[in-house]
Amino acid sequence: MRLYLRLLDYIRPYWVRLVIAAVCSGAVAALTGGYAWLVRPALDEIFINKNETWLYLLPVALMAVSVLKGICGYGQSYLMIFVGSRVVTDIRQQLFGHLMRLPVGFHLKNPSSRMLSRVINDVNWIQNAVSGVLKDLFQQSLTFLVLLGVILYQNWRLALFSILVIPLSAYPMVRFGNQLRKIATAGQERTADMSTALQETLTGVRIVKGFTREDAEGRRFAGFNEAYFRTNMKSTQVSSITSPVLEVVGIIGVAGIIWYGGSQVIQGAMTPGTFFSFLTAVFLMYTPIKRLASANNTIQQALAAADRVFTVLDVPTEAARDTGTRSLDGVRSAIALHGVSFRYEGVEAWALTDISLTVKPGEVLALVGSSGAGKTTLINLIPRFHDPTTGAILIDGVDLREIRLAALRRQIGIVSQETLLFDDTVGNNIAYGKDEATEEAITDAARAAFAHDFIMKLPNGYDTLIGENGVRLSGGERQRLAIARALLRNPPILILDEATSSLDTESERMVQMALANLMKGRTTFVIAHRLSTIQRADRIAVLAGGRLVEIGRHEELLAKAGVYHRLHQMQFQDHGSEGAPV
């Protein structure tokens, strides 16, 4: 009930349409009861008393009831579905917006494919509950009450006898509904498993084909698919048995009514018309009970989905956790790390331990170290994707946690090894980091990133669609678009995360020229991957095991013959070139 009331809370903005729909539902229910009531004069007045007046009135009355019921039925159906669909659209939009504002740590623990399942599949289940079920709850409940009034009016003693069947109908509804909710939760998990397997396989299709793992991936997906099938059949089994059980219970009740009512007619205590009007109302009551049972099953499945959706919505966003109140406008004195240590949630080992260093405005600091040394973890602390477990990072003497998160991130540009581009035009990808960018500003940024020439060779220039993640571009072209995007944003703080790691020599030369333009006058953190980038850095910080072990210029570190010298020698021996990776 708590979950369903929370769902209904989304209906408030649309209460006027809901009220009109409720009025229409009441009219449909009343007119359905009118059908049952008209059975009495049809038998008693026309077929028994031979009343010609009713012979003309009754067909007109039936046609009038039919037309009015059709109009009201259309109104309540359209308005209920409109309200339900708007509610679900609002929930889906809120869920998407909430996911965008959750901390990076949440997304590290929850694969994107599972969140995709929440936004698409789970919300679709909620739509079934809010759209269709909301309509049934209004209309069928009111129809049941009107028909109950009809049978009480016709013969209250026989009506009380009939009502005894209702508790027998309620028991299987509750019992099967509870089972369906448990099964639905498992089914939604199986759907998420399939989504994960599908996304991983399609994203890595070149690896799958390269290692000839098509059959293995097929078997893996078949396992998830079969698990979903079994869960779905359990749900079908419970759903399918609900209707026959209710029908058996209903027939038992009808048999009792025929026995008791028939004896009343034989004894003269009830007219045949009254009895058949009563029996018609009872038969018509079976439909609302059956529809309400089906609605209950759908509600239970939807509540399982709603629980999963609200679990995500209840996770505090970064904004909710943000206690910062100060603004930020560039770096005037320094970015300083004081005794910074960091440990990922649920992991015992420290990723960073007691790191202290100071970066001056406009300085380029390269971070070097073997895999797992803590380079990426360290730079992820700058835009506060994570906060230090102990210690503090300060800009101009102000702790980052005192600065508003949005204000901080507006001062930072990021170019990473895995360039993310959108399935949109070249121009829109460059303008992504800046609102209302002019065509001239976009072109200037592309020129500075040495991207303008190749863009103009594309079929539609800046209006060319580049496909998912820029699939129609080369690696170097994608990186230069990412650099152009950062240039247009014009941030005072720059983070380069192995931005030239997987490029050929010619592409690297172009990207390095673009990076040189990008780094001018900016405080830059570089995860170094090639010596050409490292040698241009003002200082190089060497990390090992999450600790800062050396810091200095390229020549100074080589002269120390320490960790950096060893990494340099290993690289030189393996590649015989100072352009090789570190």
Side-chain angles (χ1 to χ4, degrees):
M1 183 57 67
R2 176 185 59 84
L3 283 173
Y4 205 75
L5 288 175
R6 187 170 177 182
L7 280 175
L8 295 181
D9 193 49
Y10 286 87
I11 294 175
R12 288 184 182 180
Y14 313 106
W15 68 270
V16 174
R17 286 184 174 86
L18 192 64
V19 168
I20 297 173
V23 171
C24 291
S25 295
V28 170
L31 293 167
T32 302
Y35 280 133
W37 186 85
L38 288 172
V39 172
R40 179 177 179 178
L43 284 173
D44 288 346
E45 299 299 331
I46 296 176
F47 294 104
I48 296 178
N49 297 332
K50 314 297 184 183
N51 187 327
E52 290 189 10
T53 302
W54 273 102
L55 182 63
Y56 295 107
L57 287 177
L58 191 62
V60 174
L62 285 172
M63 286 188 291
V65 168
S66 175
V67 171
L68 288 174
K69 185 181 177 184
I71 294 172
C72 294
Y74 169 79
Q76 67 93 24
S77 179
Y78 176 83
L79 289 172
M80 286 291 188
I81 292 175
F82 176 90
V83 171
S85 298
R86 283 305 321 172
V87 165
V88 170
T89 300
D90 293 345
I91 292 174
R92 183 178 280 120
Q93 189 63 40
Q94 182 186 0
L95 181 59
F96 176 81
H98 191 81
L99 284 170
M100 293 299 97
R101 290 165 176 80
L102 289 177
V104 171
F106 174 88
H107 293 285
L108 292 177
K109 292 186 292 185
N110 296 275
S112 59
S113 55
R114 289 191 171 273
M115 293 303 101
L116 179 68
S117 180
R118 301 280 173 101
V119 174
I120 304 297
N121 297 322
D122 290 355
V123 175
N124 281 343
W125 275 110
I126 295 174
Q127 182 164 7
N128 293 335
V130 178
S131 298
V133 173
L134 194 61
K135 177 173 73 73
D136 280 343
L137 285 177
F138 269 92
Q139 181 182 325
Q140 303 305 328
S141 298
L142 290 172
T143 300
F144 176 81
L145 291 174
V146 169
L147 292 171
L148 182 61
V150 170
I151 65 174
L152 286 168
Y153 174 77
Q154 302 286 22
N155 190 312
W156 66 271
R157 292 184 181 85
L158 187 56
L160 291 177
F161 177 81
S162 305
I163 291 172
L164 293 175
V165 179
I166 295 176
L168 296 176
S169 303
Y171 176 75
M173 288 171 62
V174 175
R175 178 72 180 273
F176 295 147
N178 290 336
Q179 290 183 9
L180 270 177
R181 184 170 177 180
K182 295 176 183 177
I183 295 170
T185 300
Q188 287 148 17
E189 288 293 332
R190 301 293 79 77
T191 301
D193 290 340
M194 282 198 300
S195 297
T196 300
L198 183 62
Q199 186 183 43
E200 288 176 347
T201 304
L202 293 180
T203 302
V205 67
R206 284 179 292 184
I207 299 298
V208 173
K209 289 181 176 295
F211 285 85
T212 61
R213 298 293 293 173
E214 292 94 338
D215 291 340
E217 289 299 325
R219 289 191 297 271
R220 186 167 78 102
F221 185 81
F224 294 128
N225 200 16
E226 185 66 24
Y228 175 77
F229 168 77
R230 289 195 297 269
T231 305
N232 190 46
M233 291 312 300
K234 287 180 183 178
S235 175
T236 302
Q237 184 180 32
V238 175
S239 298
S240 300
I241 202 173
T242 303
S243 183
V245 168
L246 289 176
E247 186 170 345
V248 170
V249 172
I251 291 299
I252 292 172
V254 169
I257 291 169
I258 292 174
W259 171 78
Y260 182 77
S263 65
Q264 293 284 299
V265 172
I266 291 172
Q267 294 170 13
M270 183 187 299
T271 67
T274 300
F275 173 71
F276 280 103
S277 176
F278 184 97
L279 195 61
T280 300
V282 169
F283 273 117
L284 289 174
M285 285 175 68
Y286 173 71
T287 297
I289 292 175
K290 186 177 179 180
R291 294 289 293 272
L292 287 171
S294 176
N296 180 61
N297 290 344
T298 304
I299 286 172
Q300 297 306 320
Q301 292 171 314
L303 288 180
D307 193 19
R308 286 160 50 86
V309 169
F310 288 139
T311 296
V312 176
L313 287 176
D314 289 338
V315 176
T317 62
E318 286 183 316
R321 297 175 177 178
D322 185 16
T323 57
T325 57
R326 306 182 67 161
S327 60
L328 181 65
D329 185 19
V331 182
R332 291 183 172 82
S333 59
I335 299 175
L337 284 74
H338 293 310
V340 170
S341 297
F342 177 77
R343 181 169 58 189
Y344 287 98
E345 185 178 349
V347 179
E348 292 186 7
W350 289 89
L352 298 172
T353 304
D354 195 26
I355 292 181
S356 297
L357 60 88
T358 299
V359 183
K360 297 177 182 178
E363 183 178 7
V364 176
L365 177 72
L367 302 174
V368 176
S370 58
S371 178
K375 305 183 297 295
T376 300
T377 299
L378 179 59
I379 65 168
N380 280 341
L381 298 180
I382 306 299
R384 287 191 63 196
F385 293 151
H386 307 286
D387 284 326
T389 306
T390 61
I393 302 176
L394 303 103
I395 294 181
D396 299 337
V398 179
D399 193 317
L400 294 187
R401 286 166 287 205
E402 297 179 18
I403 301 170
R404 286 183 290 108
L405 199 56
L408 171 66
R409 290 179 180 170
R410 276 196 292 267
Q411 304 299 310
I412 300 174
I414 301 174
V415 180
S416 64
Q417 174 184 359
E418 298 177 0
T419 304
L420 176 61
L421 298 174
F422 297 92
D423 187 9
D424 203 339
T425 65
V426 170
N428 287 340
N429 270 282
I430 294 174
Y432 183 76
K434 192 177 182 66
D435 296 331
E436 300 179 0
T438 64
E439 290 186 13
E440 182 182 1
I442 293 171
T443 304
D444 289 343
R447 290 183 188 277
F450 296 94
H452 178 74
D453 290 344
F454 86 76
I455 291 173
M456 296 308 297
K457 293 177 182 178
L458 296 175
N460 297 307
Y462 285 85
D463 293 324
T464 303
L465 293 171
I466 60 175
E468 183 180 2
N469 204 24
V471 68
R472 296 170 190 165
L473 304 177
S474 70
E477 290 169 343
R478 289 197 296 269
Q479 284 291 48
R480 279 179 276 165
L481 283 190
I483 293 169
R485 182 168 60 192
L487 279 163
L488 185 63
R489 186 176 176 87
N490 193 27
I493 303 171
L494 184 64
I495 293 174
L496 304 179
D497 186 357
E498 300 186 345
T500 63
S501 61
S502 55
L503 303 179
D504 57 64
T505 303
E506 178 60 24
S507 295
E508 184 198 354
R509 187 182 68 83
M510 297 294 293
V511 170
Q512 290 288 7
M513 291 166 61
L515 287 174
N517 285 340
L518 179 59
M519 289 188 289
K520 286 178 182 175
R522 307 181 202 278
T523 307
T524 305
F525 295 84
V526 181
I527 290 185
H529 198 83
R530 295 187 186 270
L531 286 177
S532 53
T533 303
I534 296 171
Q535 291 171 355
R536 283 201 302 270
D538 296 309
R539 283 188 301 161
I540 300 169
V542 184
L543 300 178
R547 294 180 180 273
L548 178 61
V549 293
E550 293 176 350
I551 188 165
R553 296 184 63 83
H554 173 71
E555 296 80 5
E556 296 170 352
L557 294 177
L558 284 179
K560 286 184 178 179
V563 175
Y564 181 79
H565 181 269
R566 179 172 55 83
L567 290 172
H568 182 273
Q569 288 297 106
M570 290 172 57
Q571 180 186 105
F572 183 79
Q573 290 171 3
D574 289 344
H575 300 279
S577 170
E578 291 203 347
V582 136

